[in-house]
Each structure stands twice: as structure tokens, then as C-alpha cells.
Amino acid sequence: MTREEAFDSIKANIENENSIKHMLATEAIMRVLATHLGEDEEEWGLTGLLHDIDMELTEGNMHTHSKLGADLVKELGASEAMIHAILCHNETHGIPRETKLDKALFCVDPLTGLIIAAALVRPDKKLASLEAKSVIKKFKQKGFAAGVNRQQISLCSEIGIEFDQFIELGLMAMKTIAADLGL
Ligand SMILES: [Fe+2]
């Protein structure tokens, strides 16, 4: 599967612009993490890009979300490792996260929302001027972007990355695609 095929299939299955931006941000962070950890950048990036491909098809049903996604990415030619990571990023299925790829996708997923929310409260609403320390400060304010699962983000420790560095890498990754994110 090429990156173009993966993105075409996201565009075919997702209408919501913000959802597409979430996939792109997840992809960007997964690529930076893979490079940082010496893992397969393409496999990690495509896993991030495709992880919520069934978001609109499953209409918020957490029992089918990720199962349908796993079937769809299998048809696209995803590796077993990608399929597993996508399946277990939804805890409803009770499938344990085993590999680094599984664990990375799980902790990156909520990070995109925190960083986007932190950018949107800046005067210029841009990522360029946002610093990691201010994202960390927002993380500690429980009432800020309250829907963001802090505990899940903290699981970056399971892939051997310290929290502060995880925020820095995530922010740096998202800055590289700021124009695509409209930020
Ligand atoms: Fe997601």
C-alpha cells in the first residue's frame, strides 16, 4: 500500500475535515516517533493515518469501531502489525497492546487533540509559536480540553519516551504539517 492509496481511502471514508486533520496529525507524530525509536517510519505513519478509517462508518459504535477499520485496512494490504495496532487502539475490544506500534498508536491518539486545543487558545491560533512547555502546562490543567485522556498520553513511558520529550516530539511533528492542519 502506498501513502497515496492510504490517504485516498481516508478521503473516501471520512467527510469531516477535523477528523481528517486528526488522522494527518497522528500520522505525522507516528512518523517522528518511528524515526526517533529506529522503527519502520512508513509502517508507523500509515498506521497513524489509517487508524480511524471507520470512524464515520461505525457512527460512534465502539463495539464495531476498529473492527471494521481492521477489515478495511487489511483489504488495503496493511501488515498484521498495523491491523493489530488499529484493532487494539479501541480498548472496548479488550485486546492487549503488545508491540511498540500498538503502544505508540494508543498514546499518540489523544495527544493530537491536546496540541490542537493548546494552539487554538493562542492569540494567533498557530502552532508555530506554541512551545512544548505551554502544552505541558495545559496538560496539567485538568479543566482544559477535559475530554483529552491524560492517562492515555502518559503511557508514552511504555515505549521508552519520557513525558516531556513525548510532548516535544509530538509538537515538532505537528508543526511540520501546520498548513495541512490549518494551524
Ligand atoms: Fe484517533
Side-chain angles (χ1 to χ4, degrees):
M1 177 200 335
T2 65
R3 199 267 174 191
E4 195 184 355
E5 286 164 351
F7 193 44
D8 283 348
S9 132
I10 284 298
K11 286 183 287 189
N13 285 287
I14 307 282
E15 276 181 14
N16 184 292
E17 284 282 314
N18 288 334
S19 298
I20 293 180
K21 287 176 184 172
H22 168 61
M23 313 299 176
L24 290 171
T26 308
E27 176 191 17
I29 301 176
M30 290 294 284
R31 284 185 185 275
V32 164
L33 289 182
T35 304
H36 180 78
L37 295 168
E39 301 286 339
D40 184 331
E41 188 202 321
E42 201 60 17
E43 182 172 61
W44 282 42
L46 294 183
T47 303
L49 179 64
L50 291 166
H51 81 281
D52 279 335
I53 189 172
D54 65 359
M55 193 184 245
E56 291 179 2
L57 289 167
T58 53
E59 298 177 326
N61 181 340
M62 292 308 274
H63 295 283
T64 52
H65 172 50
S66 304
K67 283 199 167 157
L68 178 60
D71 291 342
L72 291 174
V73 299
K74 192 173 189 174
E75 276 170 34
L76 288 171
S79 66
E80 284 303 318
M82 293 170 69
I83 295 167
H84 192 267
I86 288 170
L87 253 184
C88 68
H89 97 276
N90 175 5
E91 283 195 303
T92 309
H93 308 311
I95 301 168
R97 293 180 293 280
E98 290 159 358
T99 65
K100 263 194 179 167
L101 178 56
D102 296 345
K103 292 169 186 176
L105 179 63
F106 191 70
C107 61
V108 167
D109 196 9
L111 179 60
T112 69
L114 177 71
I115 293 176
I116 288 171
L120 290 177
V121 295
R122 297 196 57 75
D124 62 2
K125 295 188 167 44
K126 295 286 180 203
L127 278 171
S129 58
L130 180 62
E131 291 180 55
K133 64 175 186 216
S134 98
V135 178
I136 292 167
K137 205 189 269 179
K138 297 292 184 205
F139 177 95
K140 290 176 183 159
Q141 294 168 10
K142 299 279 177 261
F144 178 83
V148 170
N149 188 328
R150 266 75 172 165
Q151 157 71 10
Q152 193 169 331
I153 294 175
S154 302
L155 292 177
C156 59
S157 58
E158 291 189 347
I159 52 168
I161 300 181
E162 282 184 27
F163 176 76
D164 286 14
Q165 191 178 24
F166 185 57
I167 301 295
E168 275 165 30
L169 290 169
L171 179 58
M172 185 256 280
M174 283 176 61
K175 282 183 180 183
T176 66
I177 57 154
D180 294 328
L181 300 175
L183 295 167

